[in-house]
Every structure is written in structure tokens, then in C-alpha cells.
Amino acid sequence: MAEPGATLLDRLAAVVGETHVLSAAADVAPFVADWRGNFRGKARAVVQPATTAEVSAVVSACAAHGAAIVPQGGNTGLCGGATPDATGDEIVVSLARMQRVRALDTANATITVEAGLPLAAVQDAAAGAGLFFPLSLASEGSCTIGGNLSTNAGGTAVLRFGNTRDLTLGLEAVLADGSVFAGLRGLRKDNTGYDVKQLFIGAEGTLGIVTAAVLKLFPMPRTRVTALAALASMADAVALLQHLKHALSDRLVGFEVMSDFSLALSRRHHPGSPELLPGHPWYALIQVDESAPDAPLQAAVEAALGEALQAGIVTDVAFAQSHEQARRLWSLRENISEAQRKEGPNVKHDISLPVSAIPAFMTECEAALMAAFPNARLVVFGHLGDGNLHYNLSAPEGVAAQAFMDNAHAVNRIVHDLVARHDGSFSAEHGVGQLKREDLVRYKGSVEVALMRAVKAAFDPRGLMNPGKVL
Ligand SMILES: Cc1cc2nc3c(=O)[nH]c(=O)nc-3n(C[C@H](O)[C@H](O)[C@H](O)COP(=O)(O)OP(=O)(O)OC[C@H]3O[C@@H](n4cnc5c(N)ncnc54)[C@H](O)[C@@H]3O)c2cc1C
């Protein structure tokens, strides 16, 4: 127990133990900058509680001292949501020590895990019981389930299984006054008024600290077919998606689109990547899964893609012949983000649109950008099955990448205004954080923003939970 009149850090040390309160600059450094190195702040301390009771006591101590809290999971977020501000007053609460699997109920097909468990460990725990947790991101070795919930992460299987929100049945969270919202229910039906847990999903730590969740599990896929299709245009990619949905129904799990330039970047920075089907403007990486035994999946996918070839929607197709080849095809896609980071900064957008609007958006946006920034290079890839594109703009050949970033605001405005005109979203899966707060006010209606502010005030009247993020 800390003495009355003790400092905040003494109180925190009394809760979690001195070794789990980091305040030396070198210890704190990894927690105060984001993955891309775009945001950098300071923190009074980083605290690492190990249980929900400790999180509650940490939050109560911070509330008593009027100290603001920044929750942090794997720190892989891309909008600066987990980075403290520059004052050096904020306390980073890292969930890294909360990694227990609390329950695995095979009959209910659910797993109950603590917030700091890395996503890959959730997948492994499910697989150990012969079940499947479908959330999958390139950052899955580092990102945590608490971060996935707080950003409502999407990833590569949203087309079939939905995003993190769709995979969550129950949730436990510590509120700004230290009280615990105990909603760890594993129910698929529960119509008992407002569904409070939904508010924490996608809240980016602004309403409370998620400490645990009940997640849905699925039958393990028994057969998987992975294919790469070469395409002449984005319109053909949309047509192929529609065709495969009809032909394969919900066995179609992933449909990722990549421009030739985004693939070239991936290969340049990851030597030894597959060199399949060179020389086409667009590619779709397709994954089809079947959980039922003895289903002739390969034949069904070959037939569907054969029809697309005959109809001229697809120009060429290659199938992965082994798990290893499939893994290498996926790494081609998943390495694009890392390749962009190595290539130097570019102006990024994480947008979503109705799939039907994407071809028109692509034509109009490219024309508008090239008129304003001639010869700039588009790096476009993403989860086309979900209408989600990572639509990025790199400097023209010969122009320094860093200098081109002076145009970031003007580029964002062109892209996001056009997205809004097509009824899309300026943030499909990465959230708002510090990066897109202005966009939130610009593109959401005033009624929606007022409702969000009212929710924030109800949960966190003193504004101590991750201030300056989202709103
Ligand atoms: C290479 C790469 C690929 C990626 N691919 C994808 C992708 O395909 N799809 C996708 O959606 N995202 C993707 N991301 C982004 C990122 O991995 C996700 O946003 C992920 O969900 C963040 O999890 P995290 O544990 O790292 O959270 P952090 O970065 O630590 O935090 C993110 C936000 O959540 C809050 N937060 C974290 N934990 C908690 C908690 N327990 N309670 C309350 N708030 C909390 C933080 O305050 C912050 O606002 C990618 C990132 C990288 C680096």
C-alpha cells in the first residue's frame, strides 16, 4: 500500500510492483513512438498491470491524481492512437502482461482471452482445440486482441467473417473511474437493451481500457485453394469478385487487389519473392476455404476462374501448388506495407467505398491527382472484397519522398472529398487516432459528431481516457 500523500508513481508501483512502472527515458522510448515513426510523444511513466484488478487500481490512482491515460497493446496502430502527447504528463498503460486464455469453450465455439494476448497466439490457442479464429493481419505477431478490438481491426478475411466487431460476443473493460464493465458473455442472442460492449469496439481507448473479450470460433478449414489472377483493370477486379461470390458463395474468404507498382515495391524490398505472371496492371490474390470434409474445392475454383478467363475478365491465373507456395503468395501481399516503409514516406489513405463505386472512384481520383501532381505514382492495394483500398501516392521519379510529403494535406483533401462524394469512409480499418481527427469533423455529420461527444462525456466526463484521440 502506498502512503497517504504518496506521488502517483509510488501509488502505481504499490499496485503493480516497482519493476512494472517504467520511467527511465530508455525504458519508456519504445512506448512513445508509433510503428511508422510518424508520431512521437513523452510519458510520465509506462505501467504494466497483470490483472483486471490491477488495471482498475491503476486507473483509480490516475483518476485521483487527474492524470490522463494512453492504453497501449502491440503499438502497431497506424494513426497515432497509442502514442502519448508531448507534455510528458500522460501515463501509458501497457496491457502486454495480460496474456491469459481464460476459457476455451468448444461446445459454444468461443474463446475468452485477455487484452494483451497477441493475435497470433489467439489463432494458435483456437487451432490447438481444432477450431479457427479468422481475424488475420500482417501485424498479427505483434498486435494484441485489445488493440484489435479498440481499432475494430479488419484484415484479410472480412469478406467471409466480418471485422473484429463481428467476431466479438462479450467484453470486459475498466472505465475512467476504475469501475469494471463486466460484459464477458458468450451469447449469440442477447436483446436486453443497449449493447454497451459495442461502444468500446473501435473507441481507440477513449472510453475505457479493454481487459478481456469473448471471441467467436469457427470450424477449421480443411481445404484451401490460393490463386493469383492477372487483370487488365480495377473494373475487371470488381467483376471477378462478383463472379466468384456467385460461383463460390461463402467459401470465398479473401479477395485482395494489388497494382503492379505495389507488387514491384514488395519484391524490391523482399528479394526472393515470387515472380508469377509478370507484366499486368492489376492482380487479385484469392483465397477459398472449405470446412466440410471431401468437398471438391479445387475443381470448383478452377471452373469459376476458367469461366472468368473465357469471359475476358481475367487475363491469366496461377494456382499455389503447396502450403509453402500459398504462404509465399500471401507474403507478397503482406509485405507491401513494410516495403512502403522502407521505400520512404508516401501519402496514405485507408478508404472504403461501396464496391460498385470503386471503378468510377479510381478513374476520377487518378485524373484529379495527376492534374494536381503530374507524374506522382499511385500505390494501390487492399481488401477489395470489403471495398477497402489502401490508396497511396508516392513522389514522382526523381523527387525526394520527404519533400513530396509537404503536399500531404492537399492530396488527402482530393482523395477524401471524392470518397465522401461516393458515400465512402476516410478510415476503413485503421481508425482515427490523432491522424484523422480533422477528417472526422469534416466528413461526419454534425449530429453524429454531437452524439459521439455525448457518449464520450457519459463514459469519461473528465476527459482522462486517451485525450486528443478520435474527437
Ligand atoms: C504491417 C502492418 C499491417 C497491418 N495490417 C492491418 C490490416 O490488415 N487491418 C487492420 O485493421 N489493421 C492493420 N494494421 C494496423 C494495426 O495492426 C491494427 O490497428 C491493430 O488492431 C492494432 O493493435 P495493437 O495491439 O498494436 O494496438 P495499439 O497500436 O497498441 O493501439 C491502437 C489503438 O487502440 C488503443 N488500445 C490498444 N489496446 C487497448 C486496450 N486494451 N483497451 C483500450 N484501448 C486500447 C490504443 O490506445 C490506440 O488508440 C497493420 C499494421 C501493420 C504495422
Side-chain angles (χ1 to χ4, degrees):
M1 278 290 280
E3 300 294 318
T7 66
L8 174 57
L9 296 203
D10 290 339
R11 281 173 195 263
L12 295 175
V15 173
V16 299
E18 252 174 53
T19 49
H20 301 302
V21 180
L22 315 178
S23 56
D27 297 337
V28 167
F31 300 88
V32 296
D34 74 322
W35 183 81
R36 282 186 181 141
N38 288 345
F39 294 94
R40 200 165 289 280
K42 289 185 187 154
R44 200 187 314 186
V46 176
V47 191
Q48 299 170 311
T51 63
T52 302
E54 286 187 7
V55 176
S56 165
V58 163
V59 174
S60 300
C62 289
H65 285 256
I69 286 174
V70 181
Q72 194 175 100
N75 201 15
T76 67
L78 300 175
C79 295
T83 309
D85 68 14
T87 59
D89 293 334
E90 295 185 334
I91 302 289
V92 173
V93 176
S94 162
L95 281 294
R97 291 175 65 222
M98 291 192 60
Q99 298 208 355
R100 280 190 315 138
V101 175
R102 290 196 193 163
L104 205 162
D105 183 341
T106 51
N108 197 42
T110 50
I111 188 168
T112 306
V113 296
E114 291 185 342
L117 195 63
L119 171 56
V122 181
Q123 297 164 347
D124 290 347
L131 290 165
F132 179 57
F133 184 60
L135 186 66
S136 176
L137 323 179
S139 53
E140 63 200 21
S142 311
C143 68
T144 63
I145 217 65
N148 301 150
L149 282 152
S150 302
T151 58
N152 187 25
T156 52
V158 174
L159 176 60
R160 163 70 178 85
F161 295 100
N163 45 31
T164 307
R165 187 184 301 285
D166 301 298
L167 300 171
T168 306
L169 292 176
L171 187 144
E172 177 188 86
V174 172
L175 305 182
D177 63 357
S179 57
V180 177
F181 165 73
L184 280 182
R185 289 179 284 265
L187 303 175
R188 285 172 174 79
K189 287 189 163 181
D190 180 16
N191 284 352
T192 49
Y194 305 140
D195 191 354
V196 175
K197 71 168 182 295
Q198 298 293 353
L199 290 170
F200 294 99
I201 303 175
E204 300 182 53
T206 60
L207 301 182
I209 301 183
V210 175
T211 47
V214 185
L215 305 167
K216 289 183 198 171
L217 301 178
F218 296 84
M220 188 63 93
R222 294 178 193 242
T223 323
R224 171 164 292 172
V225 177
T226 308
L228 187 71
L231 301 147
S233 67
M234 184 63 97
D236 281 349
V238 170
L240 177 63
L241 172 66
Q242 201 179 349
H243 170 68
L244 292 182
K245 275 182 176 173
H246 283 291
L248 301 167
S249 186
D250 65 0
R251 293 176 294 180
L252 182 62
V253 169
F255 192 100
E256 299 288 307
V257 74
M258 301 168 282
S259 69
D260 58 342
F261 185 50
S262 64
L263 275 190
L265 284 183
S266 181
R267 290 190 177 112
R268 182 185 305 167
H269 292 284
H270 299 89
S273 299
E275 296 278 353
L276 287 176
L277 313 180
H280 299 274
W282 291 97
Y283 297 87
L285 179 58
I286 297 155
Q287 183 176 310
V288 189
D289 284 356
E290 176 60 85
S291 298
D294 305 327
L297 189 65
Q298 181 81 27
V301 181
E302 281 178 11
L305 284 169
E307 286 161 12
L309 274 166
Q310 278 211 323
I313 304 170
V314 166
T315 32
D316 207 351
V317 180
F319 286 90
Q321 303 296 338
S322 63
H323 287 308
E324 177 55 18
Q325 281 186 9
R327 192 195 60 72
R328 279 164 50 77
L329 275 181
W330 270 104
S331 64
L332 201 53
R333 158 66 184 88
E334 288 174 343
N335 287 339
I336 297 174
S337 297
E338 180 67 22
Q340 286 185 112
R341 185 166 77 151
K342 290 180 175 162
E343 186 73 11
N346 64 13
V347 187
K348 294 189 166 52
H349 309 90
D350 164 39
I351 55 175
S352 66
L353 295 140
V355 174
S356 50
I358 285 181
F361 165 83
M362 292 287 296
T363 308
E364 292 166 31
C365 202
E366 183 167 355
L369 287 172
M370 291 309 133
F373 308 101
N375 302 322
R377 292 167 300 166
L378 280 166
V379 186
V380 181
F381 61 100
H383 318 291
L384 185 69
D386 322 324
N388 176 192
L389 296 178
H390 301 309
Y391 188 95
N392 304 333
L393 197 68
S394 286
E397 201 84 59
V399 173
Q402 194 60 54
F404 187 68
M405 293 308 284
D406 292 345
N407 302 305
H409 198 261
V411 174
N412 291 159
R413 186 53 66 82
I414 291 173
V415 175
H416 288 163
D417 279 1
L418 207 57
V419 165
R421 222 171 298 147
H422 284 281
D423 296 324
S425 168
F426 63 87
S427 184
E429 61 174 7
H430 295 163
V432 177
Q434 328 183 23
L435 183 66
K436 297 180 186 166
R437 278 179 313 181
E438 258 184 51
D439 292 306
L440 187 112
V441 174
R442 181 175 169 87
Y443 297 110
K444 287 220 184 236
S446 55
V447 172
E448 199 168 352
V449 173
L451 282 171
M452 287 176 75
R453 289 195 200 284
V455 171
K456 170 74 177 169
F459 277 71
D460 179 24
R462 295 169 65 201
L464 295 178
M465 294 305 310
N466 217 3
K469 314 294 167 51
V470 183
L471 286 167

